[in-house]
Amino acid sequence: MDKPKSNGGAVEVVMNAFSEYKNANDKNLEQRDNALNSKIEELYSQTDRIEELLNRPFGTVPKPEASQPNRFAITVAGKKIPVLAREDSLASYFRPQSSNGEQEWNLQDFVRNSMGLSNIKNSVVERGSANAPEFLSSQIVDAVRAKSTLINSGALTLPIDGATIIARIDTDAVCHSHVEGIDDIDESLPVFTPIELNPNMLSVQIPLSAEVAEDSANLNLLLKTSIAAAIAKKIDQLGIAALLADSAIEESAVSQDTETWAGLLQAAGSSIALDNEWPKTVISNASDYAKRISQVSGDGQWLVNPPPLATMKDLFSTHMTAGKALMGDFERSVLLAIRSELRIEIVRWHRPGSASHLMIAYMRGAFYTVQPGSLYRQLKTVV
């Protein structure tokens, strides 16, 4: 048997045991606190996410392909309207995508219901003609915008309720450096030109037989694609023609070949010589574009665009006149005004003898130049 320890030895044993217990307990408390802090941080993160979602329009998460606009304009009457960039969606502004399994409208069901060929119950009135729901028409407007070269160049979109007046800057004010006691500050008025946004109607009429409407499984895709392509083609044609005719846009003073990289680089240099920023986008004639990217050197090597042009978005259009190109910041300078969303109507039994109905799609929209100083017009031949 061990020899009994003195009182001092017994106290030491107790203290050692207490220290071991305290260290183990402190370790357990530290682990608990770390786990609790982690849970609190996770809760804060979830709370911030909920707050972010609640502050969004409609209180829902927009799908990546249908993002919400993040800028708005205020009219004289105080109405807030969206200004849509290329990646924004008009449909998501008017109504978010369904997140609860609700069946969304589609063009195929709308056409069939309007013709009396479907048993699906919805708000389409089976009569001579009917307007498509706002969300459906907005989807097609987004499809039109996606196919438009000018929208892809960066032009903004502004939905308007009626004729709207905005101003564009033709010339800027002049800033003077003042010396004390010297009368050296002259008045200089910027030139603002009023623009009336009141676009003409664009219309597409498509005959549809009862058999095609009833039997085509892909009718929704076919109609949306065809309507969007037709309107985008026309709206681009009119928009590019207006930009080519705008006398406020500076253009080449000397010949600058639209078929070569050297000519494009020369035009970009002329643009920045006018105190413009380096062009973000250029739109060329499709033939000129093809010739430019097909250049080869004397030894048969492909010629690529010079490094300064690598940051410039290079687009093409058959509506651009051969030998001409437009370059600059289209987001600042070009605006698509939509007077009303695209509307779809079905005229039943348009041609009874052939059991044919008529679908009419129409909208009022046009491109306008709102900042001509941000654009430059390249000319292969100067007259």
Side-chain angles (χ1 to χ4, degrees), residues 62 72 80 83 105 154 160 163 185-186 189 273 333 343 372 383:
F72 294 85
K80 186 179 180 182
V83 179
W105 276 86
I160 56 178
I185 302 177
D186 295 328
L189 295 177
S333 56
R343 299 184 182 276
V383 179

Side-chain angles (χ1 to χ4, degrees), residues 40-185:
I40 292 175
E41 291 176 1
E42 182 180 355
L43 180 61
Y44 280 147
S45 177
Q46 293 176 351
T47 302
D48 291 340
R49 179 60 176 163
I50 292 172
E51 182 178 359
E52 176 188 353
L53 296 179
L54 290 176
N55 285 331
R56 289 182 177 178
F58 313 113
T60 186
V61 183
K63 295 181 180 297
E65 68 273 13
S67 61
Q68 299 280 356
N70 57 15
R71 71 184 97 187
F72 294 85
I74 307 297
T75 65
V76 175
K79 183 177 180 179
K80 186 179 180 182
I81 53 178
V83 179
L84 305 174
R86 178 178 58 86
E87 66 278 3
D88 294 328
S89 166
L90 183 64
S92 65
Y93 172 74
F94 284 108
R95 176 183 169 193
Q97 292 281 359
S98 174
S99 59
N100 59 1
E102 175 190 354
Q103 181 66 36
E104 292 289 357
W105 276 86
N106 65 70
L107 193 54
Q108 176 174 292
D109 290 340
F110 170 74
V111 169
R112 289 174 177 172
N113 292 344
S114 299
M115 292 181 179
L117 300 174
S118 175
N119 294 323
I120 299 176
K121 301 300 182 182
N122 51 42
S123 60
V124 174
V125 181
E126 293 184 0
R127 53 187 174 84
S129 63
N131 284 339
E134 187 177 61
F135 181 60
L136 174 60
S137 63
S138 298
Q139 282 185 325
I140 302 177
V141 170
D142 285 334
V144 171
R145 295 172 60 242
K147 292 180 179 293
S148 166
T149 302
L150 286 175
I151 291 296
N152 287 323
S153 72
L156 299 176
T157 304
L158 181 69
I160 56 178
D161 292 333
T164 303
I165 303 296
I166 64 173
R168 80 178 192 183
I169 302 175
D170 284 335
T171 61
D172 293 319
V174 178
C175 181
H176 298 272
S177 175
H178 173 60
V179 177
E180 184 179 359
I182 303 298
D183 185 2
D184 55 5
I185 302 177

Side-chain angles (χ1 to χ4, degrees), residues 114 125-130 345-349 357-358:
S114 299
V125 181
E126 293 184 0
R127 53 187 174 84
S129 63
E345 296 188 7
I346 303 297
V347 181
R348 296 182 61 178
W349 300 106
H357 305 263
L358 182 67

Side-chain angles (χ1 to χ4, degrees), residues 18 251 371:
F18 179 78
E251 63 182 18
Q371 186 67 276

